[in-house]
Amino acid sequence: MFQSCAASSTRVRVLMVVMCWMAAIAAVPLEEEFNQLRENYVQLNRIVEKLEKNNALFLAKNTELEEKVTQLEAQQQSHKNTKQDLLSKVNVLESRIQQLESVFVSMFPREKETITTHQTSVQNSFENRPKSIGMARTCAELRAADPSVSSGLHLIDPDGQGVGDSPISVYCNMTTGMTAIPHDSESPLHVGHCADPGCYSRPINYYASSRQMKALVDLSSECHQAIRYDCYYAPLEFSNVPYAWWNDRNGNAKYFWSGGNTDAHTCQCGIDGNCVDATVKCNCDATVPLQLVDSGIITDKDILPITRLNFGRTQLETSSGVHTLGRFECTGQVAITGMPTSCEDLWLIGHTLNGLYNVKGSSMVESVYCDFSKLPDDTGFQHWIGYADLKSAPIYFYVTKSPFPFNTTDTPIPFEVALLNEGNALDLTTGIFTSPRTGIYYFSFTAHSNFKIAPTTSHLQLSLYLNGNLVGSGWHGVVGGMGDHITQRGFHATLHLNAGDKVWVGIESRSQGIYLFDDDRHLTHFTGWLLEEEILR
């Protein structure tokens, strides 16, 4: 029985050991699982924190976008208000234009049908023109191209179609071929009350550029402009002091009120000798209590159109002055007979394409380059080429040495005598030729030299230099012997030079005792000239 109890006790202990061992084995995976869960929890917290940060950024961005939307909505509303304001102003301007057109029509009833719808009339006149006509330069050209075209507003292009300024709208009188350019001061205008000379001053604004008007003048055989001044105790001149004048197209003050250009103060009555007061040259200058008028036509096309009107001495309560200035009108056409002699003749005929043309010179047909993007009076409008250039802007020289010997090497040879030096491009003192214009030049040099012959071979090398660089040489050698040996040697060259290039001749090398000399026969000489100028656009 004792043995049985002992055995039982042993089994119990074994069983407990086994159970402890199994418990230990079971505890290991539980601890690992716990650790894994804890790590997952940490990572989850990190993810939550990141999501919270992203959410905060999203909220901030959303707020920013909402603010931008609010700003855009405000801008949109502002644009709507601006658009509405502009539309309102356009309506006001259109209404004002209609009022001005009504006033203009009432003042010029004979042109009512033409000016009622200015733009439509002009456009129709151009669209209905035969396609073969193109854009005329004057009303006279338009009438010559199609005599059936009616008087009225037409588009013309005096400075040439496709070049210069835009076409202009003018009034064409197809009965006379007259071209009239309107302006903003055609209706009678009061000068008000003021005392000083020219205290009233009004600029005249034409419906054409100054270039187009100048071109019209050049094309037309005659231009004029009418002017009228209704006055009451409003003199143009008083006690030899001018109180009124007008300015020509160059801004110069003019004191005559009719006829051609003159520096003397006069009006039409002064020209005719029938002023109300024989002691003055204008009716308005008379100090009489009468309503007077001076009217005339300015006929000097070289100073027209009138660009400003100036009046004064109307300070009295009873004084009054009213000026009326007519349109700038031109008629006729400058005629070119025979072969054109210049770019201006070609332009007057109607040429507008830049390039080289043959024209009649003084003794032969010559070449000329025309730049029709300019007007005849503009710099660069015309360039003569080749032979014509030699005649109109010559460059040539023929220079010689003095009898004194010269033997210096590596330096330009100076020349003491200038038989010809047209254009003064060659400096005699330095011997250097400076090209005044870009082009093709020809040079020739001949040297008269004295060889003091030694037992050995002697030589002389002459060279041509361009801006310090050797471009050509002439060499002469003599086999040894005794005594003097006189010889002439030289060379020729044709060079393309830019304006400012420098050319000279010199002794590059020589033997002992050799020198250049000359006498009254001009044995050592240097010559050159411009063959052809290079024309650059």
Side-chain angles (χ1 to χ4, degrees), residues 98-173:
Q98 291 176 357
Q99 293 175 4
L100 291 173
E101 287 180 347
S102 298
V103 172
F104 193 65
V105 168
S106 65
M107 292 192 309
F108 300 96
R110 288 178 299 175
E111 299 177 11
K112 180 176 180 180
E113 293 183 1
T114 305
I115 63 179
T116 302
T117 54
H118 176 82
Q119 292 181 337
T120 302
S121 175
V122 172
Q123 186 65 28
N124 289 341
S125 67
F126 185 66
E127 290 180 353
N128 295 332
R129 184 182 307 169
K131 299 303 180 182
S132 58
I133 296 179
M135 181 70 73
R137 297 183 298 171
T138 67
C139 294
E141 277 191 9
L142 182 58
R143 183 181 66 165
D146 184 2
S148 66
V149 176
S150 60
S151 299
L153 293 174
H154 294 275
L155 283 176
I156 64 171
D157 198 353
D159 66 354
Q161 185 173 354
V163 297
D165 292 353
S166 300
I168 57 175
S169 175
V170 299
Y171 180 84
C172 291
N173 184 330

Side-chain angles (χ1 to χ4, degrees), residues 211 214 218 343-344 354 369-384 437 533 535-537:
R211 174 189 170 93
K214 174 62 170 59
D218 292 340
C343 291
E344 183 173 3
N354 299 343
Y369 178 81
C370 304
D371 184 355
F372 291 119
S373 64
K374 299 178 172 62
L375 292 180
D377 292 341
D378 294 342
T379 302
F381 174 73
Q382 172 177 288
H383 292 279
W384 291 100
R437 299 198 297 275
E533 180 183 359
I535 303 299
L536 300 177
R537 296 189 181 185

Side-chain angles (χ1 to χ4, degrees), residues 24-38:
I25 293 174
V28 171
L30 289 174
E31 184 176 356
E32 291 179 354
E33 184 176 354
F34 175 76
N35 291 335
Q36 183 64 42
L37 290 173
R38 183 170 59 185

